[in-house]
Amino acid sequence: MSAVFGWLFVAAMAAVPVVFPDPYVLSVLTSAGIFIIGAISLNLLLGYTGQLSLGHAAFFGLGAYASALVSLGFDIGIGFGLRLRLDPQPVFVGFLAGIAVAGAFGWLLGRLAFRVRGAYFVVITICFAQVLRMVALNWVELTQGPMALIGIPPASLWLPGQGVVPLYTKPQSFWLVLGVGTLAFLLVRQVVQSRIGRALVALRENETLARSVGIRVTHYLVIATVLSAGIAGAAGSLFAHYVRIIDPDVFLFIYTVTMVIMVITGGKGTLWGPVVGGLIFGLMPDLLRGSAPPEAQWIAYGVLMILLVMFLPRGIVPAVAGLLPARRRPAPAIAAMVEPAP
Amino acid sequence: MDQALQHLVNGTVLGGTYALLGIGLTLIFGVMRVVNFTHGELYTFGAYMAYGLVALLHVDFFLSLVLATMLGLALGALIELVLLRPMRKADIDSVMLVMIGAALVLQNAGLWAWGGVAKLVPTPFAGTPLVFGPVSVLPLRLFVLGVAATLLLVFWLLLERTRAGIAMRATFQDAETASLMGVRVGWVHTATFAIGSGLAAAAGALLGPVFMVSPAMGDLVGLKAFAIVILGGLGNLPGAVIGGFALGYVEEFGGGFVSSEYRDAFGFLLIILVLAIRPQGLVALKERVG
Amino acid sequence: MLNRRTALLAGLALPALQRTAWAADPIKIGMTQPLTGAVAASGNYVANGAKIAVEVLNRAGGVLGRPLELILEDNKSNPREAVAAVDKLVLRDRVPVLIGAWSSTYTLAIMPKLLEYKVPMVVETSSASRITTSGNPYVFRIAPTSAMEAVAFSTQLGKFTPAMRKVDFLSVNNDFGRGAAEKFSEALAAKGVTIGRTETMTPEATDLSAQLAALKQSDADTIFLTTGVEQQTLALRQAVEQRLGKRFVTTGGSFPDALIANPLPAGNTSFHILFYAPWFPERAPYPAIAEAYTAEWNKNNWEFAGLTEGFRGYDAVLTVVEAIRLAGKPEAEAIREALWKVDIHGVNGDIRFAKEGPAGQESGQNQPNVAIVTLSEGKTGLL
């Protein structure tokens, strides 16, 4: 049932470019989709490990920069008169590089930050993104600093018989994001239903207990961070090749906050939470545009976030699911979505 | 050498305001276990109140600083009563999210009210620097340092010598025992958050006239305040003062002698270094499970 | 008979019907400016200039019998937001022509989108050379390039006493700042001036003590300062504090107006290269136009010194509307063709475009006028 519902949703989304070929609608949906992938990856940390990681924009930005730089090529001095040079690579190499670099930094941050918990952990993750922003801003030779990396090639796909096809058009970009998003969703579902997922939930619920029964807490946390960072890197890479310009502000705290709001609103620790929250917050700015100035919108998001945490702390998806079982007990579609792990 | 002396002076002035920021944040964490994401916004609020009073209402500059601090105090008390009091039983992460929401509201309300263009706050101080041998400093900056030092001293006296201060310290050490001993923990929390916010607003009102006042000025400052308290240890009051001055000097000397572009990054790099080399931090506390 | 009458009636009625349809349907002009963020002051001035131009033109009946509508989108002082703004303006609002985007960095970021959507853009402020030399036929720049500004400035070098012997640069770390440092170095070196060091700062930096301390060690007599008005103000104030004792010349046409109400101490005179000096409208190439613009601005009680940059938006709207009139219809390709035929008088002087860049895909570039204004103790003068 769950799978049927999920695939119906994917099919409905895939039909959008055919039914509404309006480029503006597609561009809004594509951007929303990219941030939903970011939110799905953040949910793995925030929802399933219970660690409030507020440096998520770091992985998103790293993926974006790595992917853009690999596909643009670079030639930089690395001290001692040595130079590091890379010729422009195909975009899919950049995409993989984006995932790898973000994943590697995920491992580094995991190793560093999971030495501490609570407030310290939160502050370290924030500082991590901040340092990366400073590097992107000032390592002009590599990143072009505030001038931004421009002219990033669009994503491309290898198709049998046609070779490498660049994805210029809005429907193509949209389908690509939908495809990657579906993969990310399935991967996260696989992870949370595996041994790793059970270990993560065990330590979220009671770390001391989990430790005492022999779960290697830091080990599993680092695995979750690497996975989460890798998916965020993939989202960042899609972003870079979609908007085709990247600047140091992708590391800003506000991007992390956007993803956090998506996860919290939809329901952290539920598979569909980030998707629902992401759709709401990805589409709202454009629906409200013209009727409310951006400042007023952000004020509304802030208020909504406060109200949700205070009165609906589990988010929309569990709340809606909570209403359904009253009809008839087996509502496995929703129940499976809500269940953090079997 | 001349340059080093100048950097020492600049770093001291900067460190004084950083200490004010850090001590407010660390006090709130120590007493209430709240990671205050609105701290940078209170800083911005103080700066804009000073601007509004001085430039628009033509209130006396010094009086404006006092009023801006009082308004920051009041806003802090309001935030505590409306948002934090109902969240007393909630976990630390939920409270953080509520504070992030509050920060979003404050920053965008500021942007809406004041517009996006940076403002200059007029001051009665001469624009000509005072010269001591190779070192020069604006009278305004010396005044800022003096006020920051005075506020730190007053705050310390309040904590050490008054009943309110004793109640605050008792709650700091053990909230449950304190409440058994008759301390009204709720009001201690309100007072603590108000005082912490007032200190942030004071820092904004003091530094606003030195630089310029803009809606996003609190973003980086709020993050730096986190850096300061992590350096000194969360909830450690003398640590925050040390952390504040440490960050001031690191930025100033790093910016002057290593790279002016990476100036703002030094504080954050310092934290990551401290944690990489000494994971228990400069001052170990019980939050640090490892 | 009947046929002729019907035809006649139809002939009369059709344009009338169309006119009523038009009247309800204004011609849109898209504009993106930094309305918030690090360079918001300038962006708001330019946007205000554009707003009053639209008001003035609408009072005179609009263009092609239809009113004009300016759709303004904030680019938040960020190149990526500038691209997002253009996406919205073109895809959602379907504007046939754009004005933007203040900083060279934002304009360069937008330029690929112009090719993709085939919409022309009038560039009102950006000065980096490669905007018009990279082969983008949708770019029409009324602002001077850094190179033009530098050459025009270097002809007035003789007016400075004591003479300039060695110069340093303090530049914002982007295309605008770096480009100005490069082009002024070339133009001044050609006049025999020695070129010293270049210090850079990030656009949102507020404490510039480290850069200024480094510049203090240099033996240059003059520092060229290139950045938005916010940082110009901060740099000039902090230079007094650090006792630099050097001459400052700001480039790019922005003016640190906050220093009029809050002047630097006596004995500090700064120099500002401007493209319109509102204190002296009679010295503008077309005083009547400059005075009309100034009067309209003052009606709104806006910051007087904002006129220095507001004219960019004003002139840009005049240019765009003239192109729409010449095109005869509000369609992107027709407007692009018509922009080549524009020949009007603006606040800054004549506006017409010469071809620049690779043959076959040239961009348009206007030749603007330059004034050097002095600021001392809150008072302005013309050098």
Side-chain angles (χ1 to χ4, degrees):
Chain A
M1 269 302 272
S2 158
V4 171
F5 179 85
W7 288 115
L8 273 178
F9 176 78
V10 172
M13 288 315 278
V16 169
V18 184
V19 184
F20 304 104
D22 182 76
Y24 186 71
V25 172
L26 289 180
S27 79
V28 169
L29 280 175
T30 309
S31 317
I34 291 171
F35 276 93
I36 288 174
I37 300 175
I40 287 174
S41 71
L42 177 64
N43 188 33
L44 192 57
L45 279 182
L46 200 63
Y48 291 98
T49 72
Q51 300 295 320
L52 187 54
S53 162
L54 292 185
H56 215 62
F59 304 127
F60 188 84
L62 278 168
Y65 265 104
S67 187
L69 283 169
V70 167
S71 46
L72 285 169
F74 54 85
D75 183 5
I76 51 163
I78 46 171
F80 311 108
L82 297 174
R83 299 197 71 78
L84 183 65
R85 183 157 172 271
L86 181 78
D87 289 324
Q89 303 295 315
V91 174
F92 76 89
V93 179
F95 182 69
L96 296 178
I99 295 173
V101 169
F105 273 85
W107 179 82
L108 186 73
L109 180 71
R111 282 272 144 219
L112 212 66
F114 285 122
R115 295 167 164 188
V116 292
R117 288 287 185 283
Y120 274 91
F121 175 80
V122 171
V123 175
I124 289 164
T125 54
I126 294 174
C127 289
F128 177 69
Q130 195 58 32
V131 170
L132 287 175
R133 176 163 181 270
M134 297 289 168
V135 172
L137 209 48
N138 292 300
W139 194 356
V140 175
E141 196 184 6
L142 182 69
T143 65
Q144 297 297 310
M147 285 156 284
L149 277 179
I150 56 177
I152 300 171
S156 59
L157 212 57
W158 185 85
L159 294 177
Q162 296 180 45
V164 177
V165 183
L167 305 177
Y168 276 108
T169 68
K170 297 269 183 268
Q172 289 169 334
S173 306
F174 174 79
W175 282 320
L176 178 70
V177 169
L178 183 64
V180 175
T182 309
L183 284 178
F185 182 93
L186 293 175
L187 177 66
V188 169
R189 192 184 68 173
Q190 213 55 45
V191 169
V192 299
Q193 291 176 352
S194 71
R195 233 181 94 80
I196 301 173
R198 287 195 291 278
L200 291 177
V201 173
L203 74 91
R204 178 186 70 187
E205 300 307 328
N206 190 335
E207 180 165 339
T208 320
L209 185 65
R211 211 176 272 280
S212 73
V213 298
I215 294 176
R216 291 154 66 203
V217 170
T218 309
H219 174 75
Y220 282 109
L221 284 178
V222 171
I223 290 180
T225 313
V226 170
L227 279 170
S228 169
I231 299 172
S237 168
L238 287 176
F239 186 68
H241 296 286
Y242 175 64
V243 301
R244 300 174 63 190
I245 169 170
I246 286 296
D247 73 288
D249 283 359
V250 290
F251 292 110
L252 279 183
F253 187 51
I254 192 72
Y255 288 99
T256 303
V257 171
T258 308
M259 290 187 248
V260 170
I261 294 178
M262 289 176 173
V263 173
I264 298 291
T265 310
K268 59 178 176 175
T270 67
L271 286 170
W272 283 91
V275 181
V276 172
L279 277 175
I280 293 171
F281 282 100
L283 303 184
M284 200 135 81
D286 291 284
L287 294 176
L288 289 179
R289 185 170 167 259
S291 55
E295 298 89 346
Q297 287 182 35
W298 277 105
I299 293 174
Y301 301 159
V303 171
L304 185 64
M305 185 161 164
I306 293 170
L307 293 178
L308 275 168
V309 174
M310 281 183 158
F311 300 110
L312 200 64
R314 292 178 61 211
I316 290 173
V317 168
V320 171
L323 297 176
L324 289 181
R327 267 199 300 193
R328 202 143 59 92
R329 207 198 115 23
I334 309 286
M337 284 179 220
V338 175
E339 245 6 92
Chain B
M1 189 57 210
D2 291 0
Q3 205 187 335
L5 275 175
Q6 181 72 52
H7 285 312
L8 188 67
V9 171
N10 294 352
T12 308
V13 175
L14 203 57
T17 34
Y18 282 170
L20 270 189
L21 273 169
I23 208 157
L25 192 63
T26 215
L27 174 77
I28 290 170
F29 184 82
V31 174
M32 305 170 67
R33 305 277 122 175
V34 166
V35 181
N36 182 15
F37 281 94
T38 62
H39 213 63
E41 301 314 321
L42 260 304
Y43 171 85
T44 313
F45 177 79
Y48 268 108
M49 288 302 115
Y51 165 77
L53 289 164
V54 175
L56 304 182
L57 301 178
H58 305 291
V59 178
D60 174 70
F61 179 77
F62 303 99
L63 182 61
S64 298
L65 295 187
V66 177
L67 288 176
T69 309
M70 293 297 159
L71 287 167
L73 216 68
L75 180 61
L78 185 73
I79 293 174
E80 203 282 330
L81 289 174
V82 175
L83 295 180
L84 293 174
R85 189 157 286 199
M87 298 287 291
R88 280 269 293 286
K89 298 269 181 289
D91 62 304
I92 189 167
D93 288 358
S94 302
V95 178
M96 271 193 243
L97 294 171
V98 165
M99 295 318 280
I100 291 175
L104 279 181
V105 172
L106 286 175
Q107 184 175 46
N108 287 285
L111 183 59
W112 211 5
W114 299 103
V117 179
K119 316 275 191 203
L120 206 56
V121 184
T123 76
F125 290 98
T128 344
L130 301 170
V131 178
F132 308 97
V135 176
S136 65
V137 61
L138 280 183
L140 174 63
R141 291 221 198 206
L142 279 187
F143 168 75
V144 167
L145 182 62
V147 174
T150 313
L151 277 175
L152 288 175
L153 188 68
V154 167
F155 173 73
W156 180 77
L157 287 175
L158 176 99
L159 218 54
E160 290 292 320
R161 300 288 157 86
T162 64
R163 282 182 62 87
I166 292 166
M168 223 176 259
R169 277 187 295 145
T171 317
F172 200 123
Q173 278 164 6
D174 189 337
E176 251 172 71
T177 316
S179 91
L180 286 176
M181 305 292 277
V183 174
R184 292 166 71 190
V185 174
W187 289 110
V188 169
H189 279 191
T190 312
T192 303
F193 200 83
I195 291 172
S197 301
L199 289 176
L206 286 170
L207 273 192
V210 173
F211 300 113
M212 281 178 119
V213 181
S214 71
M217 65 190 284
D219 282 2
L220 192 58
V221 166
L223 293 173
K224 279 184 184 170
F226 283 133
I228 293 161
V229 299
I230 288 280
L231 284 178
L234 263 174
N236 185 318
L237 292 175
V241 177
I242 296 167
F245 281 99
L247 185 68
Y249 291 128
V250 165
E251 277 188 14
E252 193 60 38
F253 282 97
F257 293 110
V258 185
S259 153
S260 57
E261 283 120 15
Y262 277 90
R263 184 195 162 96
D264 285 327
F266 287 116
F268 300 107
L269 283 172
L270 191 63
I271 290 182
I272 289 190
L273 267 181
V274 163
L275 284 158
I277 297 164
R278 232 180 103 83
Q280 70 275 35
L282 295 176
V283 189
L285 271 175
K286 61 181 173 187
E287 268 77 25
R288 302 193 159 190
V289 182
Chain C
M1 189 67 188
L2 191 73
N3 271 350
R4 261 180 61 192
R5 244 184 89 188
T6 338
L8 195 68
L9 272 176
L12 281 172
L14 200 64
L17 272 174
Q18 276 176 347
R19 201 165 300 133
T20 46
W22 283 345
D25 182 21
I27 294 179
K28 292 173 177 173
I29 300 174
M31 182 181 212
T32 172
Q33 288 290 318
L35 303 179
T36 55
V39 290
S42 296
N44 278 283
Y45 292 149
V46 175
N48 284 347
K51 281 181 204 160
I52 59 175
V54 167
E55 275 172 34
V56 168
L57 290 167
N58 274 341
R59 250 184 273 142
V63 65
L64 308 177
R66 293 165 63 178
L68 295 158
E69 184 188 355
L70 183 75
I71 304 183
L72 191 58
E73 196 67 49
D74 183 9
N75 64 35
K76 302 178 189 168
S77 303
N78 171 296
R80 194 166 26 74
E81 292 288 348
V83 173
V86 166
D87 267 338
K88 283 182 188 168
L89 288 169
V90 175
L91 294 179
R92 187 175 145 138
D93 300 314
R94 299 180 190 284
V95 299
V97 59
L98 293 161
I99 301 172
W102 204 79
S103 162
S104 300
T105 297
Y106 319 152
T107 303
L108 285 163
I110 287 171
M111 280 167 50
K113 287 283 171 186
L114 303 179
L115 279 171
E116 182 182 340
Y117 298 139
K118 303 203 183 323
V119 172
M121 178 159 92
V122 170
V123 177
E124 86 297 330
T125 307
S126 314
S127 58
S129 333
R130 57 190 172 113
I131 289 174
T132 38
T133 56
S134 67
N136 188 324
Y138 292 90
V139 167
F140 293 81
R141 169 154 62 181
I142 59 170
T145 63
S146 296
M148 288 175 158
E149 185 187 353
V151 169
F153 173 82
S154 67
T155 61
Q156 305 198 34
L157 263 184
K159 292 184 182 172
F160 286 91
T161 46
M164 262 180 220
R165 301 198 182 285
K166 183 175 178 185
V167 300
D168 285 338
F169 295 90
L170 177 57
S171 285
V172 62
N173 194 3
N174 60 25
D175 300 276
F176 171 43
R178 290 164 162 253
E182 185 188 323
K183 297 301 174 188
F184 274 82
S185 296
E186 287 170 13
L188 291 170
K191 295 276 177 180
V193 177
T194 312
I195 307 302
R197 62 195 297 167
T198 300
E199 287 287 320
T200 60
M201 50 203 173
T202 52
E204 72 266 29
T206 53
D207 192 335
L208 310 171
S209 57
Q211 286 90 339
L212 291 168
L215 289 170
K216 193 181 177 184
Q217 309 296 317
S218 151
D219 60 343
D221 52 62
T222 303
I223 296 170
F224 280 83
L225 175 62
T226 308
T227 182
V229 293
E230 291 88 345
Q231 261 182 345
Q232 285 185 8
T233 310
L234 289 166
L236 290 170
R237 276 162 60 111
Q238 290 174 26
V240 172
E241 176 172 11
Q242 305 253 334
R243 291 182 300 151
L244 255 68
K246 293 168 197 268
R247 177 164 46 206
F248 270 90
V249 180
T250 71
T251 81
S254 305
F255 183 78
D257 53 276
L259 293 180
I260 291 182
N262 305 281
L264 299 176
N268 292 284
T269 302
S270 53
F271 298 82
H272 309 276
I273 305 176
L274 298 183
F275 308 122
Y276 175 55
W279 305 274
F280 320 100
E282 72 283 356
R283 300 280 290 272
Y286 299 104
I289 295 173
E291 277 157 15
Y293 154 67
T294 306
E296 194 67 27
W297 181 280
N298 289 336
K299 257 197 248 169
N300 290 288
N301 284 323
W302 286 328
E303 189 68 47
F304 182 78
L307 282 158
T308 51
E309 292 208 73
F311 89 88
R312 303 177 196 271
Y314 194 86
D315 277 2
V317 168
L318 294 186
T319 309
V320 162
V321 171
E322 172 68 1
I324 294 173
R325 193 186 67 78
L326 291 171
K329 53 187 173 187
E331 283 167 18
E333 193 53 36
I335 294 174
R336 189 184 76 78
E337 300 267 337
L339 275 164
W340 287 114
K341 296 180 214 131
V342 167
D343 187 356
I344 55 165
H345 299 168
V347 177
N348 176 264
D350 291 314
I351 301 173
R352 55 177 166 263
F353 297 102
K355 293 195 168 183
E356 250 190 35
Q361 41 190 350
E362 294 98 338
S363 308
Q365 173 66 50
N366 180 38
Q367 180 74 49
N369 296 299
V370 169
I372 303 174
V373 168
T374 60
L375 175 62
S376 181
E377 296 176 52
K379 300 216 167 39
T380 53
L382 208 55
L383 188 71

